[in-house]
């Protein structure tokens, strides 16, 4: 289990230390354990990024364990303390304007996708194969890197929001929209801008 890139309380007040400790130390660990089981008998062991492509076809351990391990690696890396959040790079800001009309419209669309995930799942900001930006949502621990996911086409996620209840229940109970609103204050835009550059080269974020 990789350590968090910041202290457990670094994301407060958006996400509290008890949530981060439980989410990272307990939930993420289970996904890593199952991801390791998924590749245990593979002759050529793929990286976690490589495992995503055929994860749905490979079965529940690769799909749920491998997906969960990758999604959480991205989730921790894309966040930072509110004082360090920053803003999108010029290139990413331009792409957001071109794809959505404005940063605020992208926020609205992403927040709406996050709010309307039924049950457990994720919302994503992705680079498409034709180098545009798109928003997608997936159930459970699926992600847009997986062939056959609910995203509809393989895309490169650069920002993801975990809307499983364990991600926010200690802080917000059933008030998911409040959690989604707070999430915008802890996005590490420098990191996400770097992930955008990878997506534009047709690459996923390597973990």
């Amino acid at each position: 289990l990789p350590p968090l890139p910041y202290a457990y309380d670094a994301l407060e007040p958006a996400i509290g230390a008890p949530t981060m400790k439980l989410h990272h130390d307990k939930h993420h660990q289970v996904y890593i354990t199952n991801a390791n089981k998924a590749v245990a008998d593979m002759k050529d062991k793929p990286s976690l990024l490589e495992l995503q492509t055929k994860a749905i076809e490979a079965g529940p351990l690769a799909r749920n364990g491998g997906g969960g391990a990758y999604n959480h690696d991205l989730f921790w890396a894309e966040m930072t303390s509110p004082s360090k959040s920053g803003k999108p790079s010029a290139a990413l800001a331009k792409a957001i304007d071109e794809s959505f009309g404005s940063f605020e419209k992208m926020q609205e669309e992403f927040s709406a996708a996050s709010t309307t995930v039924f049950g457990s799942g994720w919302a994503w900001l992705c680079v498409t194969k034709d180098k545009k930006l798109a928003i997608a949502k997936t159930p459970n621990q699926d992600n847009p890197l997986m062939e056959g996911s609910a995203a509809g086409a393989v895309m490169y996620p650069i920002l993801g929001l975990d809307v499983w209840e364990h991600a926010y229940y200690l802080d917000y109970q059933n008030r998911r929209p409040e959690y989604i609103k707070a999430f915008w204050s802890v996005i590490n835009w420098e990191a996400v801008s770097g992930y955008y550059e990878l997506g534009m080269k047709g690459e996923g974020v390597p973990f």
Side-chain angles (χ1 to χ4, degrees):
L1 178 67
L4 285 172
Y6 34 71
Y8 290 113
D9 64 358
L11 306 183
E12 291 183 345
I15 304 173
T19 291
M20 292 300 292
K21 194 162 181 51
L22 180 69
H23 197 175
H24 174 266
D25 296 6
K26 304 298 183 189
H27 291 280
H28 192 180
Q29 181 63 67
V30 171
Y31 298 126
I32 289 175
T33 300
N34 288 332
N36 287 332
K37 287 179 185 172
V39 301
D41 296 327
M42 294 183 184
K43 185 179 170 190
D44 298 313
K45 290 186 172 42
S47 69
L48 189 54
L49 173 60
E50 292 165 342
L51 180 63
Q52 305 308 303
T53 308
K54 301 286 186 185
I56 292 175
E57 184 184 310
L61 283 175
R63 182 178 190 172
N64 300 326
Y70 183 89
N71 296 348
H72 285 82
D73 277 349
L74 181 65
F75 191 49
W76 310 136
E78 74 186 23
M79 294 191 291
T80 190
S81 62
S83 63
K84 297 177 182 172
S85 177
K87 60 183 183 179
S89 66
L92 177 54
K94 183 168 182 271
I96 288 170
D97 287 346
E98 288 173 352
S99 293
F100 302 100
S102 69
F103 182 83
E104 291 71 25
K105 289 220 171 69
M106 180 277 290
Q107 270 188 311
E108 285 173 21
E109 195 172 322
F110 186 96
S111 297
S114 306
T115 304
T116 55
V117 170
F118 181 74
S120 302
W122 293 74
W124 308 94
L125 178 65
C126 309
V127 178
T128 65
K129 294 278 191 178
D130 59 358
K131 301 187 176 179
K132 302 281 196 303
L133 289 175
I135 287 165
K137 54 186 179 179
T138 53
N140 302 314
Q141 294 298 345
D142 290 0
N143 65 55
L145 290 165
M146 297 177 179
E147 293 177 353
S149 86
V154 171
M155 296 185 273
Y156 306 102
I158 64 172
L159 180 71
L161 178 57
D162 186 349
V163 293
W164 284 61
E165 283 194 339
H166 65 237
Y168 62 88
Y169 208 82
L170 290 180
D171 296 303
Y172 299 96
Q173 287 80 50
N174 62 335
R175 304 187 306 276
R176 187 193 287 183
E178 289 181 31
Y179 162 65
I180 294 165
K181 185 178 179 183
F183 171 67
W184 294 104
S185 70
V186 292
I187 294 171
N188 183 342
W189 284 110
E190 182 181 357
V192 174
S193 298
Y195 304 156
Y196 169 70
E197 298 300 333
L198 286 173
M200 291 296 283
K201 296 180 199 169
E203 297 174 22
V205 182
F207 291 112

